[in-house]
Amino acid sequence: MNLRRYWAILPLTFAALLSGCMTDSTGTTYSSSEARRIQQVSFGTVSELQYVTLEGTEGAVGTVAGAAIGGIAGSSVGGGRGSDIAAILGGVAGGVLGSRAEKQLTTQQGIEMTIRLDSGKYISVVQEVDPKVPLQVGDSVKILTQGNTTRVVRMR
């Protein structure tokens, strides 16, 4: 078995698996289950913006992919029982590192918006930054609420 070939494709496979886990939580993205549902609508003006960090996920994909890569790497060390032990240790270490890598790769830039509603009440909403629709203080916005999900979109 030629392990060098696997070493070349494993990091790419790992990155591809993790990118499939990333979700878009901007104000203009909906899941298919949110379509065709009534939303409560409010209007307001952005009074303050602050950039925040949206923590990434620590799911099974990073752990499993890291464990697989670590196990393969460890199995190539030594021979016999030493190789088996190295494969197990490599799998454990790879799982831990894979979980951390997943969290790092899925961390996103968010924005906390303080909004003065037309009613005079203030609210705050955090969502992922949407570079296609940047918000600024003073922008008129529409606040859409559906169950526990609220999103803010700039009025055009």
Side-chain angles (χ1 to χ4, degrees):
M1 178 194 299
N2 183 355
L3 288 179
R4 288 180 190 256
R5 181 184 315 172
Y6 292 112
W7 281 112
I9 63 169
L10 282 175
L12 296 173
T13 303
F14 183 66
L17 286 170
L18 289 180
S19 67
C21 295
M22 297 176 77
T23 60
D24 184 342
S25 56
T26 63
T28 57
T29 302
Y30 290 81
S31 69
S32 59
S33 66
E34 293 175 306
R36 299 170 53 173
R37 300 218 175 185
I38 293 175
Q39 298 183 82
Q40 300 300 315
V41 181
S42 302
F43 297 94
T45 304
V46 176
S47 62
E48 183 182 20
L49 296 172
Q50 179 169 331
Y51 288 96
V52 297
T53 300
L54 300 176
E55 286 186 342
T57 59
E58 290 185 69
V61 173
T63 304
V64 171
I69 293 170
I72 291 170
S75 70
S76 66
V77 174
R81 279 194 168 156
S83 177
D84 294 343
I85 292 170
I88 292 168
L89 292 175
V92 170
V96 170
L97 292 173
S99 178
R100 287 185 184 162
E102 179 178 357
K103 184 172 183 175
Q104 190 69 29
L105 288 169
T106 57
T107 295
Q108 311 218 354
Q109 177 77 58
I111 191 164
E112 177 188 294
M113 298 161 282
T114 302
I115 300 164
R116 184 177 190 272
L117 299 176
D118 288 351
S119 67
K121 179 180 170 185
Y122 282 88
I123 63 167
S124 177
V125 178
V126 175
Q127 68 187 28
E128 182 182 341
V129 170
D130 188 348
K132 296 177 280 179
V133 188
L135 290 168
Q136 297 178 11
V137 171
D139 281 349
S140 294
V141 292
K142 179 170 46 174
I143 302 96
L144 304 162
T145 303
Q146 184 183 97
N148 292 328
T149 302
T150 299
R151 53 180 48 88
V152 176
V153 293
R154 188 177 67 196
M155 299 287 292
R156 300 192 191 271

